[in-house]
Amino acid sequence: MKQIGVLGLQGAVQEHLDKLSQIDNVDAFSAKYRSDIENCDGLIIPGGESTAIGRLLADFNLTQPLKARIEAGMPVWGTCAGMIILAKNISNDARRHLEVMDIEVMRNGYGRQLDSFFTSVSVPQVSDAEIPLVFIRAPYVVDVAPQVEVLLRLDEHIVACRQDNMLATSFHPELTNDLSFHRYFAEMINK
Ligand code: GLN
């Protein structure tokens, strides 16, 4: 059994736990304490408010231990606000959080165009079937370093990418009934 933590400080925690409970050989739990972060095999940083999640990580002294685990190779997946938490650069915000992934994100990038929207796309690396995507005041990626693999572009914006053990998505797979991205993340842990 692989232990997957969902960072349980703020945001869409339960929705990710529900999805993970449908995947074989995965035990999922809400990760709140340093010991949780040190003991999980992989971690999801959910959507919510990146400013709140970032502040709580700092207040609970979790920023450095989590950063160290990610840099040592623990698989991590940031959805929406979680993507902002992972990014080294944020175009329109002076705050920085874990600063582990070589991407530059625009907070509320879609928020300024459309508050939320739904679409369905094909992501060959992740699934053979079309994947439903939900965006809610979503960030997008404006720039990636060469070592970052782009998994999905919508129009001119990057909305899913991977760098080694780190996965980032602008959208919320936990709010759909599709398990493809959760399965893909579980595979990252198994390898
Ligand atoms: N707009 C939020 C932020 O900047 C992210 C929104 C979300 O996670 N659904 O943190």
Side-chain angles (χ1 to χ4, degrees):
M1 275 300 218
K2 294 292 178 186
Q3 306 291 323
I4 304 186
V6 179
L7 188 66
L9 302 178
Q10 194 265 337
V13 180
Q14 189 57 47
E15 292 84 347
H16 273 296
L17 293 173
D18 291 345
K19 283 280 160 303
L20 292 169
S21 72
Q22 298 171 56
I23 296 181
D24 292 341
N25 300 317
V26 164
D27 235 359
F29 67 100
S30 167
K32 287 196 168 105
Y33 303 105
R34 183 164 176 169
S35 56
D36 296 333
I37 281 167
E38 261 142 29
N39 294 324
C40 60
D41 299 306
L43 185 79
I44 295 177
I45 305 176
E49 268 310 312
S50 56
T51 49
I53 297 173
R55 185 172 342 106
L56 291 165
L57 277 172
D59 288 351
F60 292 118
N61 295 317
L62 296 174
T63 309
Q64 288 312 318
L66 178 52
K67 191 174 160 117
R69 282 228 61 201
I70 297 169
E71 284 172 348
M74 177 182 71
V76 66
W77 172 20
T79 56
C80 202
M83 168 191 260
I84 298 167
I85 296 289
L86 294 175
K88 283 196 180 165
N89 281 303
I90 307 171
S91 316
N92 52 349
D93 196 330
R95 279 166 283 226
R96 297 290 179 272
H97 307 287
L98 292 171
E99 298 179 272
V100 284
M101 201 167 173
D102 292 298
I103 58 177
E104 176 172 335
V105 301
M106 178 80 77
R107 278 192 74 197
N108 302 320
Y110 282 112
R112 278 177 294 148
Q113 302 168 10
L114 290 163
D115 213 38
S116 61
F117 67 100
F118 174 86
T119 186
S120 189
V121 296
S122 147
V123 187
Q125 291 97 322
V126 175
S127 173
D128 295 334
E130 285 224 327
I131 304 177
L133 305 179
V134 174
F135 292 78
I136 303 168
R137 293 200 307 115
Y140 51 66
V141 180
V142 292
D143 197 19
V144 297
Q147 61 271 32
V148 178
E149 178 192 11
V150 173
L151 296 174
L152 179 64
R153 251 179 236 274
L154 268 190
D155 306 321
E156 71 272 36
H157 306 305
I158 297 166
V159 294
C161 55
R162 175 169 174 182
Q163 180 179 357
D164 306 318
N165 56 317
M166 299 176 279
L167 174 67
T169 59
S170 296
F171 43 85
H172 291 265
E174 77 285 8
L175 300 181
T176 69
N177 46 31
D178 183 87
L179 286 173
S180 315
F181 268 93
H182 290 82
R183 289 214 171 92
Y184 179 80
F185 184 60
E187 276 303 303
M188 281 172 61
I189 296 172
N190 286 329
K191 275 180 193 146

PDB file of all heavy atoms in Angstrom, residues 4-6 12-22 28-30:
ATOM      1  N   ILE A   4      -0.630   8.093   0.446  1.00  0.00           N
ATOM      2  CA  ILE A   4      -0.670   9.395  -0.219  1.00  0.00           C
ATOM      3  C   ILE A   4      -1.334  10.405   0.712  1.00  0.00           C
ATOM      4  O   ILE A   4      -2.475  10.225   1.138  1.00  0.00           O
ATOM      5  CB  ILE A   4      -1.410   9.354  -1.571  1.00  0.00           C
ATOM      6  CG1 ILE A   4      -0.768   8.302  -2.495  1.00  0.00           C
ATOM      7  CG2 ILE A   4      -1.393  10.738  -2.237  1.00  0.00           C
ATOM      8  CD1 ILE A   4      -1.334   8.267  -3.906  1.00  0.00           C
ATOM      9  N   GLY A   5      -0.599  11.466   1.023  1.00  0.00           N
ATOM     10  CA  GLY A   5      -1.138  12.530   1.861  1.00  0.00           C
ATOM     11  C   GLY A   5      -1.786  13.592   0.980  1.00  0.00           C
ATOM     12  O   GLY A   5      -1.345  13.832  -0.146  1.00  0.00           O
ATOM     13  N   VAL A   6      -2.837  14.203   1.496  1.00  0.00           N
ATOM     14  CA  VAL A   6      -3.397  15.403   0.861  1.00  0.00           C
ATOM     15  C   VAL A   6      -3.180  16.514   1.884  1.00  0.00           C
ATOM     16  O   VAL A   6      -3.661  16.400   3.025  1.00  0.00           O
ATOM     17  CB  VAL A   6      -4.904  15.241   0.555  1.00  0.00           C
ATOM     18  CG1 VAL A   6      -5.445  16.521  -0.089  1.00  0.00           C
ATOM     19  CG2 VAL A   6      -5.150  14.032  -0.357  1.00  0.00           C
ATOM     20  N   ALA A  12      -9.615  22.105  -1.112  1.00  0.00           N
ATOM     21  CA  ALA A  12     -10.398  20.941  -1.533  1.00  0.00           C
ATOM     22  C   ALA A  12      -9.715  19.631  -1.128  1.00  0.00           C
ATOM     23  O   ALA A  12      -9.222  18.880  -1.973  1.00  0.00           O
ATOM     24  CB  ALA A  12     -10.618  20.984  -3.039  1.00  0.00           C
ATOM     25  N   VAL A  13      -9.667  19.373   0.164  1.00  0.00           N
ATOM     26  CA  VAL A  13      -8.943  18.211   0.696  1.00  0.00           C
ATOM     27  C   VAL A  13      -9.791  16.943   0.553  1.00  0.00           C
ATOM     28  O   VAL A  13      -9.348  15.930  -0.003  1.00  0.00           O
ATOM     29  CB  VAL A  13      -8.577  18.447   2.187  1.00  0.00           C
ATOM     30  CG1 VAL A  13      -7.823  17.256   2.758  1.00  0.00           C
ATOM     31  CG2 VAL A  13      -7.767  19.730   2.326  1.00  0.00           C
ATOM     32  N   GLN A  14     -11.028  17.002   1.050  1.00  0.00           N
ATOM     33  CA  GLN A  14     -11.890  15.822   1.067  1.00  0.00           C
ATOM     34  C   GLN A  14     -12.146  15.278  -0.342  1.00  0.00           C
ATOM     35  O   GLN A  14     -12.192  14.069  -0.551  1.00  0.00           O
ATOM     36  CB  GLN A  14     -13.221  16.149   1.760  1.00  0.00           C
ATOM     37  CG  GLN A  14     -14.095  14.940   2.031  1.00  0.00           C
ATOM     38  CD  GLN A  14     -13.373  13.875   2.875  1.00  0.00           C
ATOM     39  OE1 GLN A  14     -12.751  14.196   3.897  1.00  0.00           O
ATOM     40  NE2 GLN A  14     -13.428  12.623   2.434  1.00  0.00           N
ATOM     41  N   GLU A  15     -12.268  16.172  -1.308  1.00  0.00           N
ATOM     42  CA  GLU A  15     -12.549  15.748  -2.684  1.00  0.00           C
ATOM     43  C   GLU A  15     -11.396  14.892  -3.227  1.00  0.00           C
ATOM     44  O   GLU A  15     -11.619  13.880  -3.902  1.00  0.00           O
ATOM     45  CB  GLU A  15     -12.763  16.981  -3.575  1.00  0.00           C
ATOM     46  CG  GLU A  15     -14.031  17.766  -3.275  1.00  0.00           C
ATOM     47  CD  GLU A  15     -13.909  18.794  -2.133  1.00  0.00           C
ATOM     48  OE1 GLU A  15     -12.915  18.762  -1.372  1.00  0.00           O
ATOM     49  OE2 GLU A  15     -14.838  19.625  -2.029  1.00  0.00           O
ATOM     50  N   HIS A  16     -10.158  15.274  -2.907  1.00  0.00           N
ATOM     51  CA  HIS A  16      -9.010  14.451  -3.337  1.00  0.00           C
ATOM     52  C   HIS A  16      -9.010  13.112  -2.586  1.00  0.00           C
ATOM     53  O   HIS A  16      -8.708  12.065  -3.175  1.00  0.00           O
ATOM     54  CB  HIS A  16      -7.690  15.170  -3.052  1.00  0.00           C
ATOM     55  CG  HIS A  16      -7.254  16.096  -4.142  1.00  0.00           C
ATOM     56  ND1 HIS A  16      -6.938  15.656  -5.412  1.00  0.00           N
ATOM     57  CD2 HIS A  16      -7.068  17.440  -4.154  1.00  0.00           C
ATOM     58  CE1 HIS A  16      -6.559  16.696  -6.155  1.00  0.00           C
ATOM     59  NE2 HIS A  16      -6.639  17.788  -5.421  1.00  0.00           N
ATOM     60  N   LEU A  17      -9.338  13.149  -1.294  1.00  0.00           N
ATOM     61  CA  LEU A  17      -9.356  11.897  -0.512  1.00  0.00           C
ATOM     62  C   LEU A  17     -10.392  10.935  -1.099  1.00  0.00           C
ATOM     63  O   LEU A  17     -10.144   9.725  -1.211  1.00  0.00           O
ATOM     64  CB  LEU A  17      -9.652  12.183   0.964  1.00  0.00           C
ATOM     65  CG  LEU A  17      -8.564  12.962   1.724  1.00  0.00           C
ATOM     66  CD1 LEU A  17      -9.053  13.335   3.127  1.00  0.00           C
ATOM     67  CD2 LEU A  17      -7.266  12.147   1.814  1.00  0.00           C
ATOM     68  N   ASP A  18     -11.551  11.478  -1.502  1.00  0.00           N
ATOM     69  CA  ASP A  18     -12.594  10.629  -2.094  1.00  0.00           C
ATOM     70  C   ASP A  18     -12.099   9.967  -3.379  1.00  0.00           C
ATOM     71  O   ASP A  18     -12.333   8.782  -3.614  1.00  0.00           O
ATOM     72  CB  ASP A  18     -13.856  11.447  -2.396  1.00  0.00           C
ATOM     73  CG  ASP A  18     -14.569  11.911  -1.131  1.00  0.00           C
ATOM     74  OD1 ASP A  18     -14.269  11.370  -0.044  1.00  0.00           O
ATOM     75  OD2 ASP A  18     -15.421  12.826  -1.237  1.00  0.00           O
ATOM     76  N   LYS A  19     -11.404  10.726  -4.211  1.00  0.00           N
ATOM     77  CA  LYS A  19     -10.889  10.168  -5.467  1.00  0.00           C
ATOM     78  C   LYS A  19      -9.839   9.086  -5.175  1.00  0.00           C
ATOM     79  O   LYS A  19      -9.852   8.008  -5.754  1.00  0.00           O
ATOM     80  CB  LYS A  19     -10.232  11.256  -6.324  1.00  0.00           C
ATOM     81  CG  LYS A  19     -11.206  12.141  -7.043  1.00  0.00           C
ATOM     82  CD  LYS A  19     -11.729  11.461  -8.287  1.00  0.00           C
ATOM     83  CE  LYS A  19     -13.022  12.042  -8.806  1.00  0.00           C
ATOM     84  NZ  LYS A  19     -14.155  12.071  -7.902  1.00  0.00           N
ATOM     85  N   LEU A  20      -8.931   9.384  -4.251  1.00  0.00           N
ATOM     86  CA  LEU A  20      -7.850   8.427  -3.947  1.00  0.00           C
ATOM     87  C   LEU A  20      -8.409   7.141  -3.357  1.00  0.00           C
ATOM     88  O   LEU A  20      -7.842   6.065  -3.562  1.00  0.00           O
ATOM     89  CB  LEU A  20      -6.837   9.063  -2.984  1.00  0.00           C
ATOM     90  CG  LEU A  20      -6.007  10.220  -3.556  1.00  0.00           C
ATOM     91  CD1 LEU A  20      -5.235  10.932  -2.445  1.00  0.00           C
ATOM     92  CD2 LEU A  20      -5.049   9.730  -4.645  1.00  0.00           C
ATOM     93  N   SER A  21      -9.549   7.247  -2.652  1.00  0.00           N
ATOM     94  CA  SER A  21     -10.126   6.042  -2.040  1.00  0.00           C
ATOM     95  C   SER A  21     -10.620   5.063  -3.109  1.00  0.00           C
ATOM     96  O   SER A  21     -10.862   3.901  -2.824  1.00  0.00           O
ATOM     97  CB  SER A  21     -11.266   6.418  -1.094  1.00  0.00           C
ATOM     98  OG  SER A  21     -12.387   6.835  -1.858  1.00  0.00           O
ATOM     99  N   GLN A  22     -10.732   5.530  -4.346  1.00  0.00           N
ATOM    100  CA  GLN A  22     -11.210   4.659  -5.428  1.00  0.00           C
ATOM    101  C   GLN A  22     -10.055   4.007  -6.201  1.00  0.00           C
ATOM    102  O   GLN A  22     -10.279   3.340  -7.199  1.00  0.00           O
ATOM    103  CB  GLN A  22     -12.067   5.479  -6.404  1.00  0.00           C
ATOM    104  CG  GLN A  22     -13.316   6.055  -5.725  1.00  0.00           C
ATOM    105  CD  GLN A  22     -14.026   7.044  -6.641  1.00  0.00           C
ATOM    106  OE1 GLN A  22     -14.386   6.701  -7.757  1.00  0.00           O
ATOM    107  NE2 GLN A  22     -14.204   8.270  -6.171  1.00  0.00           N
ATOM    108  N   ALA A  28      -5.072   6.865   1.613  1.00  0.00           N
ATOM    109  CA  ALA A  28      -4.983   8.326   1.563  1.00  0.00           C
ATOM    110  C   ALA A  28      -5.361   8.928   2.901  1.00  0.00           C
ATOM    111  O   ALA A  28      -6.227   8.412   3.601  1.00  0.00           O
ATOM    112  CB  ALA A  28      -5.914   8.853   0.485  1.00  0.00           C
ATOM    113  N   PHE A  29      -4.723  10.013   3.248  1.00  0.00           N
ATOM    114  CA  PHE A  29      -5.025  10.669   4.523  1.00  0.00           C
ATOM    115  C   PHE A  29      -4.734  12.156   4.410  1.00  0.00           C
ATOM    116  O   PHE A  29      -3.986  12.593   3.536  1.00  0.00           O
ATOM    117  CB  PHE A  29      -4.214  10.028   5.659  1.00  0.00           C
ATOM    118  CG  PHE A  29      -2.740  10.261   5.552  1.00  0.00           C
ATOM    119  CD1 PHE A  29      -2.134  11.250   6.320  1.00  0.00           C
ATOM    120  CD2 PHE A  29      -1.959   9.521   4.667  1.00  0.00           C
ATOM    121  CE1 PHE A  29      -0.772  11.493   6.209  1.00  0.00           C
ATOM    122  CE2 PHE A  29      -0.600   9.761   4.553  1.00  0.00           C
ATOM    123  CZ  PHE A  29      -0.005  10.752   5.331  1.00  0.00           C
ATOM    124  N   SER A  30      -5.345  12.925   5.306  1.00  0.00           N
ATOM    125  CA  SER A  30      -5.113  14.362   5.336  1.00  0.00           C
ATOM    126  C   SER A  30      -3.800  14.608   6.089  1.00  0.00           C
ATOM    127  O   SER A  30      -3.644  14.192   7.236  1.00  0.00           O
ATOM    128  CB  SER A  30      -6.307  15.010   6.048  1.00  0.00           C
ATOM    129  OG  SER A  30      -6.004  16.335   6.359  1.00  0.00           O
TER     130      SER A  30
END
